[in-house]
Amino acid sequence: MRISVIGCGYLGAVHAASMAQLGHEVVGVDVDEAKIASLAGGRAPFYEPGLPELLAEVGATGRLTFTTDMSAVTGAAVHFVCVGTPQTNGEFRADLRYVDAALTGLREHLRPGDVVAGKSTVPVGTAERLAPDLAAAGATLVWNPEFLREGFAVQDTLHPDRLVYGLPTDADGEPTARGREARAVLDQVYATPLAEGVPLVVTDYATAQLVKVAANSFLATKISFINAMAELCEATGADVTRLADAIGYDERIGRRFLNAGLGFGGGCLPKDIRAFMARAGELGVSDALTFLQEVDSVNMRRRVRLVDLAREVCDGSIVGKRVAVLGAAFKPESDDVRDSPALSVAAQMQLQGAHVTVTDPQAIDNARAKWPDLRFAPTALEAAQGADVVLLATEWSQYRDLDPEELGAVVAHRRMLDGRNVLVPAQWRAAGWTYRALGRP
Ligand code: UDX
């Protein structure tokens, strides 16, 4: 099939390449010329494992092209909208300007019978607002949320946990004739994963839009739950990692997403739960989501707690102390520093008078662009030279595998704060380190 993908960021670039891999002929469109030049040259404009290989593989087939010219979408049967929906400056709600701009640009190139598939995470009600104008152009809007995780984006796109189609429905809640036609088109797009048995949920617009924010709210709640338990553990001398193991054996609870530490960040969870709260307020049901305010607060408190812990181990003050922060990305296997807990802690400590050096295997350029006042070093050993305290803030495997003796040889004081609970405390203590962590004795 001929497919267009509007917006070529973390979501769109991977989606475009994956659709080409499935055998479709894909054009990716973005307003960012540098990004398009990079993708057109077969280079991933950000770090995502597997994407360079995928771009090379499908690039050789000639089925994948990139352009800044929106008219190139003409003739595609499906147009995927993958633009960002960041948090509005100074407010909780989502900023829909890129969605609206994409739809305005797309509209004049649509042909009757085209399907427009929204993938961006939007406030519930957005599809209902956009659909009539597209219908007037003879096109059908479907909402087809994306659940990919950065770091696993290629795998998640090619082999998703589930597919969700939000179709236009009639008064009885059944898909309209156009909705059924659009569904058949999407079934063709996703023929390969569907044949592999990927579950498909077909529903209405509102449910499809809610699925995404509900899923992200649940994940955020799970993380904040275990981080709230970490606060209890700190008050009682208990160990949150053992607690998580023990409750995680209950299949109803499950161990995944129960890793206590610095909490969640990134371009999705924080802004999605906030936009969801804002939307609930507009809908007159803000009480339903007041708990997300608590989820957000627990999450932000972890960052403050790690800075306090640093002060504690540095004899009451971090002013003038040398601090090494291992990790800048919001999670391993990503170069994304949007709302990164690691970078937030590094910046807070710098603002409070510490001399902070940050390292990261992939995210230094992005981190420097955001916080040019911080110092950066290419490796953990270089960042830790003369350090009074070392903070492990993003659990890259190279930091998990650090040797306490090797690192100990370069620091001024053997003090390790494990912000992700990934080190073996006994190993570090045996090497003479003061080891502290969030939620561990
Ligand atoms: C998330 C959702 O997982 C994905 O389905 C959605 O499409 C987009 O948002 P992503 O932002 O890539 O994906 O990251 P994710 O792996 O969910 O991690 C989010 C944050 O939570 C990271 O900062 C991570 O470090 C943190 N986290 C995750 C924890 O603190 N503890 C955990 O147990 C798991």
Side-chain angles (χ1 to χ4, degrees):
M1 295 186 79
R2 288 185 68 185
I3 289 175
S4 83
V5 175
I6 324 293
C8 293
Y10 287 94
L11 164 60
V14 175
H15 190 69
S18 301
M19 292 302 106
Q21 214 272 345
L22 292 180
H24 305 301
E25 197 177 307
V26 184
V27 58
V29 186
D30 200 293
V31 292
D32 185 334
E33 287 182 12
K35 201 178 277 177
I36 288 300
S38 166
L39 286 163
R43 292 178 308 277
F46 46 83
Y47 178 75
E48 180 62 44
L51 183 58
E53 294 81 0
L54 184 62
L55 285 173
E57 186 189 329
V58 295
T61 66
R63 287 198 299 266
L64 180 62
T65 52
F66 291 97
T67 177
T68 53
D69 177 9
M70 187 67 108
S71 69
V73 307
T74 306
V78 189
H79 310 274
F80 285 101
V81 178
C82 297
V83 295
T85 52
Q87 189 175 335
T88 302
N89 206 356
E91 286 177 60
F92 268 14
R93 71 191 161 80
D95 181 349
L96 293 178
R97 81 174 82 167
Y98 304 109
V99 172
D100 290 334
L103 268 292
T104 306
L106 180 60
R107 197 187 179 289
E108 58 181 298
H109 304 291
L110 290 173
R111 290 179 177 174
D114 281 8
V115 173
V116 177
K119 282 210 159 290
S120 307
T121 302
V122 293
V124 56
T126 304
E128 293 83 341
R129 172 170 69 79
L130 299 173
D133 191 41
L134 295 174
T140 306
L141 179 67
V142 296
W143 213 262
N144 176 219
E146 181 58 58
F147 306 99
L148 63 80
R149 298 159 297 166
E150 287 177 28
F152 300 91
V154 173
Q155 150 86 12
D156 285 352
T157 306
L158 289 173
H159 308 284
D161 289 339
R162 74 293 210 188
L163 288 164
V164 176
Y165 302 169
L167 303 178
T169 42
D170 60 23
D172 297 326
E174 293 300 322
T176 60
R178 279 184 153 193
R180 290 195 298 276
E181 282 163 26
R183 180 206 163 142
V185 173
L186 280 190
D187 281 350
Q188 239 177 298
V189 172
Y190 295 120
T192 308
L194 288 172
E196 283 170 3
V198 170
L200 169 63
V201 179
V202 179
T203 182
D204 51 75
Y205 283 157
T207 309
Q209 293 164 95
L210 280 172
V211 169
K212 175 62 193 254
V213 279
N216 278 354
S217 297
F218 191 89
L219 294 172
T221 303
K222 204 169 173 190
I223 298 169
S224 277
F225 173 82
I226 201 64
N227 282 331
M229 294 305 109
E231 294 187 0
L232 267 295
C233 289
E234 282 159 20
T236 55
D239 183 337
V240 74
T241 64
R242 302 305 293 149
L243 177 76
D245 291 342
I247 64 173
Y249 282 119
D250 184 331
E251 281 180 8
R252 294 168 303 175
I253 297 173
R255 182 63 178 81
R256 293 177 72 191
F257 263 71
L258 277 187
N259 294 323
L262 259 184
F264 59 83
C268 291
L269 299 192
K271 65 115 175 138
D272 284 355
I273 63 169
R274 292 173 190 155
F276 200 16
M277 284 186 267
R279 186 65 186 133
E282 289 166 8
L283 293 165
V285 288
S286 55
D287 287 356
L289 297 186
T290 43
F291 75 96
L292 287 179
Q293 189 67 62
E294 248 352 278
V295 166
D296 205 352
S297 302
V298 170
N299 192 53
M300 298 313 266
R301 275 208 297 275
R302 295 286 76 191
R303 305 179 184 188
V304 178
R305 173 69 184 139
L306 195 63
V307 178
D308 287 345
L309 211 50
R311 215 182 327 271
E312 226 175 286
V313 300
C314 288
D315 310 318
S317 172
I318 54 170
V319 177
K321 297 282 162 56
R322 292 189 171 277
V323 179
V325 175
L326 311 184
F330 83 105
K331 69 172 192 183
E333 298 303 327
S334 172
D335 65 358
D336 195 347
V337 299
R338 286 177 293 171
D339 206 347
S340 165
L343 206 47
S344 151
V345 164
Q348 274 186 58
M349 295 183 78
Q350 172 89 3
L351 292 170
Q352 291 179 30
H355 301 301
V356 180
T357 305
V358 181
T359 185
D360 191 283
Q362 294 293 340
I364 289 179
D365 289 347
N366 287 343
R368 188 183 282 118
K370 203 156 208 167
W371 287 98
D373 290 347
L374 291 168
R375 266 186 305 277
F376 295 91
T379 65
L381 282 180
E382 285 160 277
Q385 289 289 337
D388 293 300
V389 59
V390 179
L391 269 68
L392 195 161
T394 312
E395 68 278 30
W396 286 93
S397 60
Q398 39 274 72
Y399 307 152
R400 288 169 178 259
D401 297 340
L402 277 168
D403 175 17
E405 285 302 342
E406 204 184 338
L407 192 68
V410 303
V411 299
H413 294 276
R414 294 191 174 198
R415 297 168 178 146
M416 171 58 78
L417 300 188
D418 182 358
R420 291 293 177 179
N421 284 318
V422 290
L423 302 177
V424 180
Q427 219 180 356
W428 289 78
R429 289 186 178 130
W433 286 75
T434 300
Y435 172 93
R436 298 290 300 272
L438 297 169
R440 272 171 140 181

